Amino acid sequence: QKEVEQNSGPLSVPEGAIASLNCTYSDRVSQSFFWYRQYSGKSPELIMSIYSNGDKEDGRFTAQLNKASQYVSLLIRDSQPSDSATYLCAVIVGGGSNYKLTFGKGTLLTVNP
Amino acid sequence: KAGVTQTPRYLIKTRGQQVTLSCSPISGHRSVSWYQQTPGQGLQFLFEYFSETQRNKGNFPGRFSGRQFSNSRSEMNVSTLELGDSALYLCASSSGTSPGGDEQFFGPGTRLTVL
């Protein structure tokens, strides 16, 4: 089983809709979870971090974490064409000082005007 | 605060050569992690340096090595280049002090092409 799994997409939504991006992870002791956005030809940009079960909101973005189900998601409300990018889910795997940030393959999101 | 910088931005090398990439982290950050990104494998962790010591290592061959200097700047070296080493090499900066890892911020990357 892969450590971090995402639907590769592409996910296509109309402008103004809610985009829902999902991610599952295999390491039950993981405590730190991140969403990055990567535009074509650019480097990943951190958009959200979440460490506790529940929801965390930042502007149009909401991250949701369910450690019991080993599931983390990102909701983008009022999607804009500028949100079109690949979204990478990342999880800290390992513990103490022996850890690594492990990425899913990413979900390509297209927001259609 | 200035962001993470990487040099050079683009490199073209031939098989068998070696290459050195450089990364300067965000001021005050002591951890630098290196990643390789390819279309097929995605983002893969190479290694992390903290306070001039390699703290974590991914599953890459010994041809990939790195070091960190006292000012937290880091270099990554790839020896005996292979065609499969063509990739975007990213470094990420973090404080490195949170147990279990904290937010990492990426530089613009170095695009390496091996011919």
Side-chain angles (χ1 to χ4, degrees):
Chain A
Q1 182 186 4
K2 293 179 181 175
E3 292 178 301
V4 181
E5 294 205 58
Q6 297 180 251
N7 290 331
S8 61
L11 174 65
S12 183
V13 300
E15 184 175 354
I18 296 175
S20 177
L21 304 160
N22 305 313
C23 173
T24 58
Y25 60 94
S26 60
D27 187 349
R28 290 188 170 275
V29 301
S30 292
Q31 297 294 321
S32 305
F33 307 87
F34 309 92
W35 283 99
Y36 286 82
R37 176 176 63 195
Q38 187 172 25
Y39 292 112
S40 180
K42 301 294 186 182
S43 62
E45 173 193 8
L46 179 66
I47 53 174
M48 290 286 284
S49 59
I50 187 166
Y51 305 97
S52 304
N53 277 330
D55 295 358
K56 179 181 177 183
E57 187 174 317
D58 183 359
R60 295 185 298 110
F61 298 96
T62 299
Q64 299 174 316
L65 175 61
N66 184 326
K67 292 183 181 179
S69 300
Q70 296 173 241
Y71 176 91
V72 58
S73 65
L74 180 70
L75 299 178
I76 306 175
R77 291 182 302 281
D78 188 23
S79 295
Q80 301 297 309
S82 59
D83 295 325
S84 298
T86 296
Y87 288 80
L88 298 163
C89 172
V91 178
I92 296 286
V93 173
S97 61
N98 185 17
Y99 61 86
K100 63 177 182 176
L101 187 59
T102 303
F103 286 81
K105 291 290 182 69
T107 298
L108 178 61
L109 172 66
T110 300
V111 181
N112 301 302
Chain B
K1 248 185 191 179
V4 182
T5 59
Q6 290 187 246
T7 57
R9 294 293 310 279
Y10 302 92
L11 266 178
I12 299 176
K13 293 286 187 178
T14 57
R15 280 179 298 174
Q17 288 187 308
Q18 74 166 15
V19 67
T20 298
L21 313 181
S22 181
C23 173
S24 291
I26 293 169
S27 178
H29 282 186
R30 293 163 61 191
S31 170
V32 173
S33 298
W34 288 89
Y35 297 85
Q36 180 195 67
Q37 187 175 34
T38 59
Q41 298 299 317
L43 261 166
Q44 292 187 288
F45 172 73
L46 282 155
F47 32 66
E48 181 213 9
Y49 283 86
F50 178 79
S51 292
E52 302 179 64
T53 301
Q54 187 180 87
R55 186 161 68 172
N56 292 294
K57 190 177 188 303
N59 299 321
F60 277 80
R63 300 186 297 108
F64 293 82
S65 63
R67 60 178 176 169
Q68 187 179 35
F69 302 95
S70 58
N71 61 358
S72 294
R73 188 177 71 86
S74 177
E75 289 182 346
M76 189 191 89
N77 184 273
V78 188
S79 62
T80 318
L81 284 166
E82 300 177 359
L83 294 178
D85 296 333
S86 294
L88 179 66
Y89 289 90
L90 294 156
C91 80
S93 163
S94 70
S95 68
T97 56
S98 299
D102 48 11
E103 294 178 341
Q104 295 187 17
F105 301 91
F106 283 86
T110 295
R111 174 73 63 185
L112 172 64
T113 302
V114 182
L115 303 176

